């Protein structure tokens, strides 16, 4: 998920040192401050709000960084409890088979005829693709992202009143819990480690402890956003590295973030040489010689599929735009022929004039030109990156760009990235494993193995936010088992990386200010206690992973409708984060929060013949004025909807169901509920059922993908249209459905996120949504 705004790229993040100079004073509490706390804006504490009544305590976060308003088993109430934890023995939670030094299945190389090359590589065994350790044995990556001190830090300066306790900044016993080189950024997790071991925190000691724990639980490697410490190197713990082309290398980038991070301009003069020099400096003779390195990620959640929409709108200062103009000049030769093909609103007099002007892609000829440009862009980009990195390090794997499912649904991106990489990686957030989707990506990539490079399940049991929510720690364990074993049973999936080792801070990770993610992501919580059922069940799966991948035992299956697709009244839940400044309804995800999209797949089949190729991914965010919706749809016959507004449901588009009153009441929709029809036609349309006059107050856009294989549907809907006040209401019932028509005349399929085809008549099966500030 995530370089900024999702996750900081750890390659640019220093490991913690002794202390930082921070100006925040120590905080002391007394009941007289209660009246001050009640007027603190809700945005200063972005945790899950299940009730609007102010807490009885004069603070929201206790001295250990835990929710002060929620009780749960295992909640720490004294330093003595933490010190007692330090003496607990560490032992394996399950009996694993004999492993080689890198976590591979000992003896399997000889059995399956695998090669010993001294480095991780891709091979085949028992009719399937596998990773192979440097010693030549079978390996399935069981990785953990974020073995680093990053997401546990939170910004405390400016909202000190919500914390029961903060120590003096940069001095005394807890000096090492303040973030080095920053002001007002503190880690309760590190403070608890200091209490536990009664000595200053060092990253090296902590990371060594983390590796020892992870191995005892059956994990075998560090995933993305981990910092390779001396202790980790001494333990020979396999790891991956980030090699994302970035501003810190001195590269010229395309304007703005495209997804969660910037994208290098492959046409900018000097970028090829600058990138090659950066890779040589960072990797040649260093990581290139390390047998513990599995391979390099080339990026993180860059939404390449939006390049064809963005580049035509750029100005003449962007080399990528100039290359598009050159392509058009070469093809059409005369500007009159260009005008006839593209049909601009005002004809151009010269090709030079195209460079500064935003170009509208509104004809079939224009779409074909942009598709050709998109191919050229990706070929140039991936050839430049892969050749530079392979020259600096010819020994290690290129393990893809950590694509989102939405980007992975773009055949052009998958095909070209697969051409230049050894493995295709997907940050694959889902409940049930979609075999058809993963098979399609595998095929499009030219048969590359897949690495599922980021995912997790969460609960609100300890007061944290919980996207991908399940009910309990026990269910997190079952969900983990289902994900790993169901995916490992596929003959082209070679590993996975859970996100992340520790929970995020309850008041949000520091680099997103007061609205940072504060999610239950961890294998361990803020007081450094493992989630017992999660790690126990994970260890069970890890002990049998080779049997599962070789097909000698059936994979674990979590018998829950969200994971199997069989309908009951179980409800999915999601969190809706705050919108980022500058968000626009323009058909792209620029300036959207860097949160994983929610999948809409054939597991939610509601009407018509099952069509695995028809799927979508949706995102939501909000501000004080509007709810924003973004849906990326894969549809072989896109934008077939010319229906009148009340009939938009009968062709391509989406239906949104939302309510804020009596949310546990089943049955017929309440008058306060809203059903919103979004028509995916030319242009996009919107209709508010039973409130048609409110439609013009909304903004909606529908844009066909340039490959003709799908479309984007995006809308901004005022809260006043929804009859909801986000200042007083944070818990909603919500659902979304996608409708598909192959001819524009009638609906042929419908898939639903949580409910059924009867959503408009029965709100019982709608899911849940929480508005959060992080």
């Amino acid at each position: 998920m995530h370089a900024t705004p999702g996750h900081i790229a750890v390659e640019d993040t220093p490991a913690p040192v002794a202390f930082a100079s921070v100006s925040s004073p120590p905080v002391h509490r007394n009941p007289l401050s209660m009246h001050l706390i009640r007027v603190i804006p809700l945005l200063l504490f972005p945790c899950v709000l299940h009730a609007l009544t102010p807490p009885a305590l004069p603070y929201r976060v206790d001295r250990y960084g835990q929710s002060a308003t929620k009780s749960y088993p295992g909640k720490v109430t004294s330093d003595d409890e933490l010190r007692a934890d330090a003496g607990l023995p560490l032992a394996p939670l399950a009996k694993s088979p004999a492993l080689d030094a890198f976590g591979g299945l000992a003896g399997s190389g000889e059995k399956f005829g695998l090669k010993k090359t001294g480095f991780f590589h891709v091979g085949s065994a028992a009719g399937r693709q596998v990773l192979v350790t440097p010693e030549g044995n079978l390996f399935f990556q069981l990785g953990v992202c974020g073995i680093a001190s990053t997401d546990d830090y939170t910004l405390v300066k400016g909202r000190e009143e919500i914390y029961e306790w903060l120590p003096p900044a940069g001095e005394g016993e807890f000096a090492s819990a303040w973030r080095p080189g920053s002001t007002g950024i503190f880690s309760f997790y590190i403070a608890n480690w200091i209490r536990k071991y009664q000595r200053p925190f060092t990253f090296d000691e902590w990371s060594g402890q983390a590796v020892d724990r992870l191995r005892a639980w059956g994990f075998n490697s560090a995933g993305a956003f981990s910092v390779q410490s001396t202790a980790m190197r001494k333990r020979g713990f396999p790891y991956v590295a980030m090699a994302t082309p970035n501003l810190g290398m001195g590269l010229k980038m395309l304007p703005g973030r495209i997804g969660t991070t910037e994208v290098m301009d492959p046409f900018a003069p000097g970028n090829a040489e600058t990138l090659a020099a950066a890779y040589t400096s960072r990797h040649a003779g260093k990581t290139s010689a390390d047998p513990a390195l599995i391979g390099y990620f080339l990026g993180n959640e860059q939404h390449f599929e939006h390049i064809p929409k963005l580049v035509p709108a750029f100005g003449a200062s962007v080399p990528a735009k100039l290359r598009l103009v050159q392509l058009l000049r070469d093809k059409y030769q005369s500007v009159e022929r260009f005008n006839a093909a593209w049909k601009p609103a005002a004809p151009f007099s010269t090709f030079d004039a195209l460079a500064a002007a935003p170009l509208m892609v509104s004809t079939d000829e224009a779409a074909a030109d942009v598709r050709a440009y998109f191919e050229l862009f990706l070929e140039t980009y991936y050839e430049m990156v892969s050749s530079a990195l392979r020259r600096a390090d010819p020994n290690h794997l290129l393990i893809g760009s950590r694509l989102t499912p939405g980007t992975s649904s773009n055949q052009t991106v998958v095909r070209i990235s697969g051409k230049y990489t050894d493995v295709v990686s997907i940050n694959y957030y889902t409940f049930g494993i979609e075999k058809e989707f993963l098979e399609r990506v595998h095929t499009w990539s030219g048969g590359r193995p897949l690495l599922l490079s980021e995912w997790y399940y969460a609960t609100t049991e300890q007061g944290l936010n919980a996207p991908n929510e399940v009910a309990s720690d026990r269910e997190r364990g079952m969900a983990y088992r289902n994900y790993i074993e169901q995916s490992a049973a596929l003959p082209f999936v070679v590993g996975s990386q859970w996100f992340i080792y520790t929970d995020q801070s309850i008041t949000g990770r520091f680099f997103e200010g007061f609205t940072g993610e504060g999610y239950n992501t961890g294998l361990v919580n803020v007081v450094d206690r493992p989630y017992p059922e999660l790690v126990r069940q994970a260890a069970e799966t890890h002990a049998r992973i080779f049997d599962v991948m070789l097909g000698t035992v059936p994979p674990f299956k979590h018998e829950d409708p969200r994971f199997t697709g069989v309908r009951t009244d179980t409800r999915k839940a999601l969190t809706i984060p705050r919108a980022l400044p500058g968000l626009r309804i323009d058909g792209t995800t620029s300036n959207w929060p860097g949160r994983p999209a929610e999948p809409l797949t054939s597991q939610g089949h509601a009407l018509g013949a099952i069509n695995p190729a028809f799927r979508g991914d949706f995102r939501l965010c909000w501000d004080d004025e509007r709810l924003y919706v973004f849906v990326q749809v894969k549809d072989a016959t896109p934008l077939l909807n010319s229906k009148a507004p009340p009939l938009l449901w009968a062709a391509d588009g989406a239906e949104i169901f939302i309510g804020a009153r009596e949310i546990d009441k089943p049955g017929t929709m309440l008058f306060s509920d809203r059903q919103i029809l979004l028509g995916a036609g030319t242009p996009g349309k919107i209709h508010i059922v039973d409130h048609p006059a409110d439609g013009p107050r909304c903004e909606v856009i529908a844009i066909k993908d340039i490959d003709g294989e799908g479309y984007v549907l995006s809308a901004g809907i005022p809260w006043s249209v929804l009859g909801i006040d986000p200042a007083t209401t944070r818990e909603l019932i919500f659902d979304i459905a996608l409708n598909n028509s192959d001819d524009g005349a009638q609906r042929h399929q419908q898939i639903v996120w949580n409910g059924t085809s009867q959503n408009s008549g029965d709100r019982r099966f709608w899911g849940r949504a929480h508005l959060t500030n992080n």
Side-chain angles (χ1 to χ4, degrees):
M1 131 168 128
H2 302 323
T4 305
H7 295 300
I8 278 182
V10 171
E11 62 188 359
D12 296 325
T13 306
V17 292
F19 65 92
S21 177
V22 184
S23 58
S24 304
V27 177
H28 303 282
R29 296 283 168 256
N30 65 72
L32 296 178
S33 63
M34 182 62 181
H35 69 284
L36 297 174
I37 303 306
R38 286 176 171 157
V39 299
I40 295 171
L42 287 175
L43 65 85
L44 296 184
F45 184 71
C47 69
V48 175
L49 299 179
H50 293 290
L52 297 171
T53 304
L57 296 170
Y59 47 83
R60 299 290 185 89
V61 180
D62 72 15
R63 64 186 290 105
Y64 300 103
Q66 305 166 123
S67 170
T69 62
K70 198 171 184 74
S71 297
Y72 50 86
K75 188 174 183 179
V76 167
T77 59
S78 74
D79 291 6
D80 288 342
E81 294 176 55
L82 291 175
R83 287 192 286 270
D85 286 351
L88 294 175
L90 180 63
L93 296 183
K95 185 177 180 181
S96 296
L99 303 175
D100 71 16
F102 298 92
L105 179 62
S108 58
E110 182 177 356
K111 178 178 179 180
F112 294 106
L114 300 171
K115 295 180 180 179
K116 179 179 179 179
T117 67
F119 299 98
F120 281 92
H121 57 283
V122 172
S124 60
R128 61 164 294 140
Q129 293 172 307
V130 296
L131 290 176
V132 184
T133 68
E135 295 184 0
N137 289 310
L138 284 175
F139 182 82
F140 187 90
Q141 189 181 19
L142 299 166
V144 177
C145 298
I147 307 175
S149 193
T150 303
D151 284 20
D152 51 291
Y153 281 106
T154 193
L155 178 62
V156 298
K157 187 175 181 179
R159 54 177 177 180
E160 292 88 349
E161 295 85 357
I162 68 172
Y163 302 101
E164 180 185 13
W165 167 88
L166 288 170
E171 60 184 67
E173 179 185 5
F174 296 99
S176 55
W178 293 93
R179 184 169 176 80
S182 303
T183 299
I185 295 172
F186 184 72
S187 170
F188 283 95
Y189 177 86
I190 291 177
N192 291 328
W193 190 97
I194 294 167
R195 292 178 173 117
K196 181 175 179 178
Y197 295 103
Q198 302 177 71
R199 56 181 175 269
F201 175 87
T202 69
F203 180 78
D204 200 57
E205 181 180 6
W206 170 81
S207 61
Q209 292 173 347
V211 168
D212 293 343
R213 275 178 159 182
L214 290 171
R215 278 184 163 153
W217 304 335
F219 291 96
N220 59 22
S221 52
F225 311 119
S226 297
V227 174
Q228 186 72 354
S229 67
T230 299
M232 293 168 75
R233 285 192 291 271
K234 286 180 177 178
R235 286 164 171 79
F237 200 52
Y239 68 102
V240 298
M242 299 297 296
T244 310
N246 60 67
L247 281 169
M249 296 176 175
L251 296 166
K252 301 176 183 69
M253 314 298 282
L254 295 179
R257 282 193 292 264
I258 301 175
T260 62
T261 189
E262 296 86 1
V263 171
M264 178 186 69
D265 188 335
F267 302 113
N271 265 359
E273 295 78 11
T274 300
L275 182 64
Y279 283 159
T280 298
S281 172
R282 295 179 182 206
H283 303 300
K286 300 172 184 175
T287 54
S288 67
D290 189 352
L293 174 62
I294 297 170
Y296 298 97
F297 286 123
L298 306 186
N300 179 64
E301 295 187 353
Q302 297 151 309
H303 295 178
F304 289 110
E305 69 273 23
H306 295 319
I307 294 293
K309 304 167 191 171
L310 292 168
V311 171
F314 290 153
S317 64
V318 180
K321 173 67 176 293
L322 299 181
R323 186 63 184 88
L324 172 62
V325 173
Q326 184 61 48
L327 180 149
L328 298 172
R329 188 194 302 267
D330 292 344
K331 175 178 179 179
Y332 290 106
Q333 300 295 308
S334 76
V335 75
E336 290 78 15
R337 290 178 61 193
F338 167 80
N339 288 332
W342 278 58
K343 295 181 171 52
F348 291 94
S349 58
T350 67
F351 277 110
D352 290 342
L354 272 62
L359 303 179
M360 302 301 295
V361 181
S362 57
T363 68
D364 290 342
E365 291 87 346
D369 292 341
V370 175
R371 283 197 296 273
Y373 173 80
F374 188 34
E375 296 247 355
L376 174 65
F377 183 100
L378 291 173
E379 285 278 357
T380 306
Y381 182 94
Y382 274 103
E383 195 283 329
M384 183 186 297
V385 174
S386 64
S387 62
L389 190 49
R390 289 194 195 278
R391 285 195 300 270
D393 182 353
N395 299 320
H396 289 100
L397 297 170
L398 306 188
I399 54 177
S401 296
R402 307 184 85 245
L403 305 174
T404 67
T407 307
S408 302
S409 295
N410 186 289
Q411 184 174 1
T412 304
V413 175
V414 173
R415 173 171 51 82
I416 294 176
S417 66
K419 177 180 174 180
Y420 292 100
T421 58
D422 303 296
V423 176
V424 170
S425 49
I426 310 174
N427 289 1
Y428 184 48
Y429 286 84
T430 187
F431 284 92
I433 297 296
E434 306 162 74
K435 179 181 177 181
E436 295 84 0
F437 168 67
L438 296 177
E439 284 179 336
R440 187 162 62 248
V441 174
H442 171 64
T443 300
W444 285 349
S445 71
R448 297 298 188 195
L450 303 187
L451 173 65
L452 307 181
S453 44
E454 183 179 312
W455 58 281
Y456 65 89
Y457 300 104
T459 81
T460 61
E461 286 185 309
Q462 296 189 10
L464 290 152
N465 282 329
N468 318 300
E469 184 177 353
V470 293
S472 64
D473 173 37
R474 178 175 177 273
E475 192 175 10
R476 287 181 89 200
M478 291 188 289
Y480 182 94
R481 294 197 66 188
N482 186 87
Y483 190 108
I484 292 288
E485 297 197 25
Q486 291 290 325
S487 60
L490 299 176
F492 47 82
V493 174
V494 295
S496 135
Q497 296 180 12
W498 170 273
F499 184 86
I500 52 180
Y501 178 68
T502 58
D503 277 338
Q504 295 171 333
S505 171
I506 196 169
T507 48
R509 54 191 183 178
F510 75 96
F511 54 88
E512 294 170 318
F514 288 168
T515 59
E517 290 182 8
Y519 296 163
N520 171 221
T521 54
L523 301 171
V524 302
N525 65 12
V526 69
V527 294
D528 199 38
R529 286 182 168 176
Y531 287 96
E533 276 295 305
L534 172 58
V535 298
R536 182 190 66 77
Q537 294 196 60
E540 284 187 38
T541 278
H542 298 162
R544 54 187 247 132
I545 192 64
F546 294 111
D547 290 331
V548 172
M549 67 182 292
L550 295 173
T552 59
V553 298
F556 177 87
K557 185 177 182 180
H558 183 24
E559 297 291 349
D560 178 285
R562 293 166 299 174
F563 295 82
T564 64
V566 179
R567 285 280 189 266
T568 70
D569 58 359
T570 302
R571 285 179 167 179
K572 293 179 183 176
L574 58 79
T575 56
I576 307 178
R578 272 266 184 184
L580 298 179
L583 185 149
R584 295 181 298 169
I585 306 298
D586 61 3
T588 77
T589 51
S590 297
N591 292 314
W592 274 72
R595 309 300 192 265
E598 286 279 332
L600 287 161
T601 73
S602 57
Q603 287 187 328
H605 170 258
L607 289 172
I610 293 178
N611 177 8
F614 172 55
R615 73 180 307 280
D617 298 276
F618 73 94
R619 301 170 186 269
L620 304 172
C621 64
W622 68 285
D623 60 24
D624 291 341
E625 302 299 323
R626 290 181 169 192
L627 175 70
Y628 298 95
V629 183
F630 182 95
V631 191
Q632 178 82 52
V633 182
K634 297 308 293 182
D635 175 5
T637 56
L639 298 190
L640 295 181
N641 195 333
S642 58
K643 300 288 187 181
L647 299 176
L648 291 175
W649 58 268
D652 286 353
E655 297 179 56
I656 294 170
F657 304 87
I658 192 167
R661 299 181 185 175
E662 300 182 71
I663 60 176
D664 293 317
K665 183 177 181 179
T668 305
M669 287 175 58
L670 305 183
F671 182 75
S672 58
D673 293 339
R674 296 290 187 271
Q675 179 183 2
I676 300 155
L677 309 181
L678 299 177
T682 307
K685 298 179 181 178
I686 189 166
H687 177 71
I688 317 297
V689 177
D690 296 330
H691 302 269
D694 286 338
R697 299 169 54 198
C698 305
E699 185 178 1
V700 64
I701 188 171
I703 301 176
K704 183 189 294 186
D705 292 348
I706 58 100
D707 61 6
E709 296 289 326
Y711 61 88
V712 164
L713 192 59
S714 188
I717 307 168
W719 289 113
S720 56
V721 168
L722 300 174
I724 296 171
D725 180 3
T728 58
T729 303
R730 294 297 182 97
E731 187 164 358
L732 312 172
I733 52 172
F734 169 86
D735 213 341
I736 184 169
L738 289 185
N739 298 315
N740 179 51
S741 174
D742 295 331
D743 56 13
Q746 61 181 323
R747 178 170 61 186
H748 291 100
Q749 285 99 21
Q750 183 184 67
I751 52 178
V752 187
W753 176 60
N754 189 86
T756 72
S757 62
Q758 304 302 312
N759 267 0
S760 60
D762 189 351
R763 67 207 297 263
R764 174 166 57 113
F765 294 112
W766 299 6
R768 299 274 185 152
H770 305 288
L771 299 180
T772 69
N773 286 304
N774 66 339

